[in-house]
Amino acid sequence: MAFNFTLPIRIAQAVFVIVVLGLTAYVAHWINNPRTPARSPDENNFLIFTSVWTIVVLVYLLVTPWLLPRFAHRFAVLAVEALTMLFWFAGFIALAVYTSGVSYICSGHVCNNLKAACVFGAFEWLLWSASTVLATLQVTRSRGNGPAKPMGASDRLPEALALPPKWLGLYGDFVTKNASSVSQIESALRSLTYIIPGRFRESELASESLHSSIQLLSIYHDSLLARAVARLPPTQKPSPSPHNRYTRFWTQKSTLYRRISLTLQVLQYTELLIEMAAKRRGERIRWRVVVLLEFVKAMCRLGLLRLTNSRPLVTPPLPEREIDPTKLGEEQSQEEEGFEDDQGLDGEFGDERQQRQDSDTAWSMPRTGLTLPSLPASPDVTNYLLSKVLTADDLKPPKALLHRVSGPGQLAEILYILRPVIYALAMQHWNARTVDSTGKRGKSNWQPWLLGLSIEYGARQLAKKDFKERVAGGLRGLTGLEREELRRRGWAMGWWALRGAFYENVTRPYLSSFTSKLRNKPLLNLLGGVVEDYEYLWEEYYFPTATL
């Protein structure tokens, strides 16, 4: 099945042009302030024009094929694509030359925004180069065909009204049929946003907006793929993981569970973006927002604990993406095509082909001349048999994959849920009252760090003690899902090395010493640069090291 790259490219072009427009417009607004004698550089202004031009072009490319097909001539589309590509090439190159020329006097958030605009402009140029190549291929393949037949105004109105639902359905079909490619695009964009926030200090808000948008879009993609899997025949449905069996059971049983889980997932994907926006209003506002977000998330988790009849929480609370439905669809289509090809064979050519296939897959006995079908390879047999083996967890109903907790176990789960709220309140309190030797308020104080770590470690030990006393066989009697969740929470405690006083007094000096040794060394300085980029996030914000 051919993969149509046009839709994901248009989406990426729209996202990047909004980011570039925001960065360049902020620079122009800051420089053109009446209190400053300077004016926005022409290179920055040209990139603003290119961004606005691109938005108009995207509207033209998306709307005219449906509403005004006479204006969507293939040569006009190619000309617009090529012109936009040239604009972006000239824009980001000119801005890069300008920023490099004034690097000795340019510093601060304005110059960081200019550098970030250069990077995003370069990626935008690559995207328009790709779409220009696709438009060129379309022109060469459809040479000799004129524009589409124009439609009357009375015919265009009903079709225009039906376009939004139609587009949504087409997008859903596109994601379902090209799930693996869409996942690769998501991963590539997500990886890009991991390096931008620390490298360009004042552009982290734009980059985190892109990251949050990708994460939110992935939630919608997961729902599309889940519906596609549900429509598959029972023999083709994959065996879900224990986590997906458990979460799918509760999302189907309780609408309230699904809504709370979705709210919690959205908050986790946007919490850092909200904190970055709040920090523009000051540290006091930022900590108030952090405490409020942690409180709302804790209330959501307590609601899930109540809806699941006091069963421990799992992360994430929604089913995860596990399968690409196109693989099953492609296998089925290949089988159908092979059957049709066999039915379409005629005469001696078909008989010869059939005999040749039989001889390749069968063994002929020398004395009798009879044939025996060939046996599959031993690894194939072993893998097939292992895939059919049922474990104890496979036989349990979904809600029995987690034991109910009561008494000390329930207290441990509540403490685990409330720990982020208590830690955030402690950080807010000591941040407002104390100032350390470096001038950073409350970050070097050990009391919030010790309080948060003690609560989380105590809750973990209390939960393990409750399991040993109530579950037959102790910790060995836990289900696979429970052991996986305990293991995940244990590894998550390692994030305390990057929080609060431990990071300021212990981890940060070691990281600074490590990165300083890697400077001016080929290849190794790249690793040091990545670590320094992430240090910025760990120092300035709360949520990059949050695990709940």
Side-chain angles (χ1 to χ4, degrees):
M1 179 180 296
F3 177 72
N4 185 8
F5 289 93
T6 304
L7 184 58
I9 288 178
R10 296 293 183 227
I11 295 174
Q13 288 170 345
V15 171
F16 279 106
V17 73
I18 293 174
V19 173
V20 174
L21 182 60
L23 293 172
T24 52
Y26 174 79
V27 171
H29 173 74
W30 193 92
I31 296 179
N32 292 332
N33 193 304
R35 292 174 293 181
T36 59
R39 288 293 177 264
S40 175
D42 294 336
E43 294 81 359
N44 185 75
N45 297 337
F46 179 76
L47 213 55
I48 294 177
F49 160 76
T50 304
S51 301
V52 176
W53 163 268
T54 302
I55 294 175
V56 176
V57 168
L58 286 174
V59 174
Y60 164 77
L61 294 175
L62 293 173
V63 173
T64 51
W66 296 92
L67 300 181
L68 301 170
R70 69 180 67 183
F71 296 104
H73 196 280
R74 59 185 182 276
F75 289 108
V77 171
L78 178 59
V80 170
E81 295 266 13
L83 184 60
T84 308
M85 178 195 66
L86 293 176
F87 279 167
W88 279 108
F89 180 77
F92 93 86
I93 290 294
L95 191 59
V97 172
Y98 172 80
T99 54
S100 62
V102 297
S103 59
Y104 62 97
I105 60 172
C106 186
S107 61
H109 61 278
V110 175
C111 288
N112 289 330
N113 279 350
L114 286 175
K115 296 175 183 178
C118 290
V119 175
F120 283 108
F123 282 106
E124 186 76 358
W125 169 70
L126 291 175
L127 291 171
W128 281 101
S129 299
S131 61
T132 303
V133 171
L134 294 178
T136 304
L137 293 176
Q138 184 178 4
V139 168
T140 56
R141 291 173 181 174
S142 60
R143 184 173 298 173
N145 296 331
K149 183 179 179 180
M151 300 171 57
S154 59
D155 298 330
R156 290 198 300 266
L157 182 59
E159 185 174 351
L161 295 176
L163 282 182
K166 186 177 180 180
W167 284 346
L168 192 60
L170 290 175
Y171 181 74
D173 294 339
F174 170 81
V175 172
T176 302
K177 296 176 181 178
N178 304 279
S180 59
S181 300
V182 172
S183 299
Q184 292 175 2
I185 295 173
E186 289 177 359
S187 300
L189 293 177
R190 195 179 293 115
S191 301
L192 173 65
T193 60
Y194 288 153
I195 64 174
I196 296 298
R199 188 170 298 275
F200 304 105
R201 296 293 192 261
E202 294 298 327
S203 67
E204 72 271 17
L205 188 60
S207 179
E208 187 61 27
S209 300
L210 177 61
H211 178 73
S212 299
S213 302
I214 296 171
Q215 296 287 65
L216 296 177
L217 187 62
S218 66
I219 297 179
Y220 177 64
H221 291 170
D222 291 343
S223 64
L224 294 176
L225 296 178
R227 288 198 293 266
V229 171
R231 292 194 297 265
L232 292 175
T235 56
Q236 294 184 355
K237 286 185 179 180
S239 56
S241 64
H243 174 272
N244 276 18
R245 285 183 60 208
Y246 179 80
T247 52
R248 187 176 295 118
F249 168 79
W250 288 108
T251 53
Q252 294 175 352
K253 179 181 179 181
S254 173
T255 304
L256 184 59
Y257 177 93
R258 183 172 66 253
R259 292 176 179 176
I260 293 179
S261 300
L262 184 60
T263 302
L264 183 60
Q265 201 84 335
V266 170
L267 286 176
Q268 288 179 319
Y269 287 156
T270 58
E271 59 190 8
L272 181 56
L273 176 63
I274 298 174
E275 183 187 1
M276 289 178 176
K279 189 176 181 178
R280 267 66 176 168
R281 306 292 299 274
E283 285 294 315
R284 181 171 298 181
I285 299 297
R286 179 174 78 93
W287 280 111
R288 288 179 181 176
V289 171
V290 167
V291 172
L292 177 61
L293 288 176
E294 292 289 13
F295 178 78
V296 174
K297 292 193 298 180
M299 292 299 102
C300 290
R301 292 190 176 95
L302 289 175
L304 296 180
L305 183 66
R306 177 67 180 86
L307 290 173
T308 56
N309 298 323
S310 299
R311 288 179 172 84
L313 303 181
V314 294
T315 303
L318 292 173
E320 295 179 301
R321 187 186 307 180
E322 283 189 327
I323 186 175
D324 180 0
T326 57
K327 295 181 180 178
L328 298 176
E330 289 175 357
E331 292 178 359
Q332 183 179 7
S333 61
Q334 290 175 0
E335 293 177 357
E336 293 176 355
E337 291 176 359
F339 177 77
E340 291 176 357
D341 291 342
D342 292 341
Q343 294 295 326
L345 296 176
D346 55 347
E348 55 179 335
F349 297 102
D351 295 338
E352 291 178 359
R353 181 177 176 182
Q354 187 66 31
Q355 291 174 3
R356 186 166 57 253
Q357 291 177 352
D358 292 341
S359 63
D360 293 338
T361 59
W363 180 74
S364 178
M365 292 183 287
R367 186 174 62 86
T368 62
L370 299 177
T371 58
L372 292 176
S374 60
L375 295 177
S378 56
D380 297 337
V381 176
T382 303
N383 295 334
Y384 176 78
L385 294 178
L386 289 177
S387 65
K388 300 300 180 182
V389 174
L390 295 179
T391 63
D393 291 344
D394 294 330
L395 301 177
K396 292 180 180 179
K399 65 179 181 180
L401 294 174
L402 289 180
H403 292 90
R404 295 181 61 180
V405 294
S406 60
Q410 189 173 15
L411 176 61
E413 192 67 18
I414 293 176
L415 286 176
Y416 178 75
I417 293 173
L418 295 180
R419 191 275 306 164
V421 182
I422 299 174
Y423 177 67
L425 284 171
M427 288 294 293
Q428 182 190 28
H429 175 74
W430 269 279
N431 184 74
R433 293 173 61 97
T434 61
V435 179
D436 58 21
S437 59
T438 62
K440 295 184 178 181
R441 306 177 67 87
K443 286 190 175 183
S444 299
N445 196 304
W446 285 95
Q447 297 182 27
W449 188 86
L450 291 173
L451 177 62
L453 179 62
S454 301
I455 293 175
E456 185 166 348
Y457 182 76
R460 178 178 176 81
Q461 295 302 116
L462 190 60
K464 293 172 68 175
K465 181 180 178 181
D466 182 67
F467 281 134
K468 292 179 181 179
E469 295 176 353
R470 290 192 310 104
V471 179
L475 294 179
R476 294 184 177 181
L478 297 179
T479 64
L481 183 57
E482 288 173 327
R483 289 194 297 270
E484 180 184 351
E485 183 63 22
L486 276 178
R487 191 182 306 112
R488 188 199 64 80
R489 294 185 183 185
W491 282 106
M493 292 190 66
W495 282 100
W496 283 103
L498 299 176
R499 293 178 187 155
F502 193 93
Y503 175 77
E504 293 291 332
N505 299 317
V506 180
T507 308
R508 184 181 176 187
Y510 279 103
L511 289 177
S512 300
S513 175
F514 173 74
T515 54
S516 62
K517 294 179 181 179
L518 298 181
R519 290 174 183 170
N520 301 325
K521 294 183 179 180
L523 298 181
L524 294 179
N525 60 345
L526 298 177
L527 177 62
V530 172
V531 176
E532 289 179 347
D533 295 340
Y534 276 98
E535 279 187 275
Y536 171 74
L537 292 179
W538 298 333
E539 293 172 8
E540 299 296 330
Y541 296 103
Y542 168 87
F543 282 114
T545 58
T547 55
L548 277 180

